[in-house]
Amino acid sequence: MKLVSKSFEKDSSGHVTLIPDEAEDMWHAYNLIAVGDRLRSTTIRRVQTESATGSVSSNKIRTTLTLAVKNIEFDTQACVLRVNGRNTEENQFVKMGAYHTIDLELNRKFTLIKDHWDFIALDRVETACDPTQHADLAAIILHEGLCHICLVTSSMTVVRAKIDMNVPRKRKGYCAQHDKGLLKFYDAIIQGILRHINFDVVKCVLVGSPGFVKDQFFDYMIQQATKLEWKVLLENKSKFLLVHSSSGHKHALKEILSDSSIASRLADTKASSEVKALDTFYSTLQNEPDKAYYGIGHVEKANEAMAVETLLVTDKLFRSADLATRKRYVNLVESVKDNGGEVKIFSSLHVSGEQLGQLSGVAALLRFPMPDLADEEEEDDGSDSDQD
């Protein structure tokens, strides 16, 4: 994301102008744009004109509109962001108050105007515009007949390809058919790797599977790369790391990221940090339950006692359509930071963020035990976590 300009007033109102230059920037934009904001961008509008003879023609016109945002839709697969709202500024093609939908596009600037820029939104802008943020981790999770090729960025896990093929079972008299189907499956995975993984950016490619499937696939891939002179695979052979996973489903990525044997290779990735923090929370919840709590009510009470050492919260909570709900979570994050605590904001598109979302979306590790909290009835537990 490129920052073109920004301007803020003393009352925290203001605007930023941004240019998304990669697919992940659409996820950042989705987290920035909220109902009630104003969005200015160029868009296509179909306009009907009437000639002097009375004939009506319809043409597509590119124009600039400013919408009061009513609805935001994000397609995670295509990374397309659609913003719907009413026009708020004079325009020769679109009447004031008329509804329109803007599709935000890569490499086309947009201006976002807010009445109040809280520090969560400002931090999101800073993160999105940080050139060091890249999808430097890829993962290939497979079992016979099923494979997911994923890119793990600082904000989301993107499934770039799902390969689902029928591989005949290996049984007496049918070994040749099984082997043929398996090699066809492996060939499809290799093509997916060549198409979707940018080795100029990716520092590590995790290959996970049950049993020896990963080893067989990797050996076959190197054989084919040598035979067909795929230099990109041979030159980056050292980036592939074979690990165990329970299956080829996407959720197996969490256990791969949790594997201590690959921690050193993933030490610089935000995804690894999130998974480690969540694992620590679960471990503490099991062994020292008085030092681990989840749910907004319990966490707020712990924070009032300045007991929160690490706050875990999903970014989904900051996309609440209710301003008071968003403000509640923003205030919690600010207060924890002011008290010297660490805050980890999980992406709801990471497997770790999905898991935290099942625990109401907010949890905390405490500096000291608070057994009295367990006796208090939880308030609003998860009531806001499903608001989007």
Side-chain angles (χ1 to χ4, degrees):
M1 189 91 80
K2 296 176 183 174
L3 178 62
V4 178
S5 65
K6 61 181 179 180
S7 177
F8 303 109
E9 305 298 332
K10 290 182 178 179
D11 62 356
S12 297
S13 63
H15 74 270
V16 296
T17 300
L18 302 163
I19 300 177
D21 51 15
E22 58 185 27
E24 187 185 353
D25 292 338
M26 293 303 180
W27 174 248
H28 290 302
Y30 176 53
N31 280 277
L32 280 170
I33 302 168
V35 173
D37 293 346
R38 282 168 291 157
L39 179 74
R40 183 184 300 121
S41 182
T42 58
T43 184
I44 300 294
R45 179 80 173 189
R46 185 175 291 279
V47 178
Q48 289 188 339
T49 55
E50 186 174 345
S51 67
T53 59
S55 62
V56 177
S57 60
S58 179
N59 298 300
K60 289 183 177 180
I61 304 294
R62 180 167 287 279
T63 185
T64 300
L65 292 181
T66 303
L67 303 183
V69 179
K70 297 290 184 183
N71 188 47
I72 310 116
E73 294 180 3
F74 181 60
D75 184 337
T76 58
Q77 296 300 316
C79 278
V80 173
L81 185 60
R82 294 185 177 88
V83 181
N84 177 264
R86 291 180 181 272
N87 181 34
T88 61
E89 293 185 4
E90 292 275 348
N91 185 283
Q92 67 180 105
F93 303 112
V94 184
K95 294 180 180 179
M96 288 280 287
Y99 274 101
H100 186 79
T101 298
I102 292 178
D103 287 351
L104 291 187
E105 303 172 14
L106 291 179
N107 302 310
R108 192 177 300 280
K109 72 177 181 181
F110 67 90
T111 298
L112 180 62
I113 306 158
K114 287 179 177 285
D115 293 331
H116 179 75
W117 284 86
D118 57 47
F119 93 98
I120 293 289
L122 293 174
D123 185 65
R124 174 70 66 171
V125 172
E126 185 177 343
T127 300
C129 297
D130 182 356
T132 65
Q133 302 286 342
H134 295 291
D136 57 1
L137 176 65
I140 301 162
I141 313 158
L142 70 152
H143 60 238
E144 286 193 4
L146 179 66
C147 174
H148 285 84
I149 300 175
C150 307
L151 290 179
V152 184
T153 73
S154 63
S155 298
M156 58 204 259
T157 301
V158 183
V159 178
R160 297 312 305 264
K162 179 183 178 182
I163 300 162
D164 194 352
M165 298 176 64
N166 181 36
V167 177
R169 290 185 178 181
K170 190 173 186 178
R171 56 184 189 267
K172 192 173 181 180
Y174 293 90
C175 288
Q177 290 184 2
H178 170 268
D179 293 344
K180 185 178 178 181
L182 194 59
L183 296 183
K184 186 177 179 182
F185 172 58
Y186 288 165
D187 284 331
I189 297 174
I190 295 171
Q191 290 305 313
I193 292 171
L194 294 171
R195 187 177 301 115
H196 298 293
I197 296 180
N198 180 2
F199 286 97
D200 292 335
V201 175
V202 169
K203 297 174 184 175
C204 180
V205 182
L206 303 176
V207 184
S209 79
F212 295 101
V213 178
K214 59 185 180 299
D215 306 271
Q216 294 168 358
F217 163 72
F218 182 73
D219 290 342
Y220 177 75
M221 181 183 73
I222 297 304
Q223 289 173 13
Q224 290 296 96
T226 304
K227 177 182 176 182
L228 301 173
E229 297 184 349
W230 285 329
K231 291 184 178 180
V232 66
L233 294 178
L234 295 175
E235 290 171 357
N236 292 282
K237 178 181 176 181
S238 62
K239 292 184 178 180
F240 286 83
L241 189 60
L242 307 186
V243 295
H244 173 78
S245 72
S246 59
S247 72
H249 295 285
K250 180 188 170 185
H251 62 74
L253 181 58
K254 179 186 179 296
E255 61 192 64
I256 293 176
L257 293 173
S258 303
D259 191 335
S260 58
S261 65
I262 63 168
S264 59
R265 295 286 294 270
L266 306 180
D268 296 330
T269 68
K270 183 172 181 282
S272 174
S273 173
E274 289 179 349
V275 170
K276 185 177 179 181
L278 194 59
D279 284 347
T280 301
F281 174 80
Y282 278 121
S283 176
T284 307
L285 188 64
Q286 184 174 5
N287 300 315
E288 299 179 85
D290 293 340
K291 290 182 66 177
Y293 287 92
Y294 60 90
I296 183 64
H298 280 155
V299 173
E300 282 180 329
K301 287 184 175 69
N303 182 55
E304 288 171 8
M306 299 180 67
V308 177
E309 183 174 43
T310 305
L311 176 68
L312 287 61
V313 59
T314 68
D315 56 15
K316 186 175 182 180
L317 299 177
F318 302 111
R319 294 199 302 273
S320 173
D322 179 42
L323 186 60
T325 299
R326 177 186 171 92
K327 192 172 182 180
R328 182 179 186 181
Y329 288 103
V330 170
N331 289 341
L332 175 62
V333 170
E334 284 184 318
S335 180
V336 168
K337 284 189 173 183
D338 289 342
N339 293 335
E342 182 182 10
V343 176
K344 291 189 176 294
I345 299 178
F346 287 57
S347 169
S348 56
L349 283 192
H350 266 316
V351 286
S352 55
E354 292 173 0
Q355 197 164 5
L356 181 59
Q358 295 170 3
L359 292 177
S360 80
V362 59
L365 288 161
L366 308 189
R367 294 186 174 96
F368 49 83
M370 292 188 68
D372 294 343
L373 270 185
D375 299 329
E376 297 184 28
E377 191 171 334
E378 170 62 19
E379 297 176 8
D380 305 325
D381 186 10
S383 61
D384 302 314
S385 65
D386 58 352
Q387 293 189 32
D388 197 334

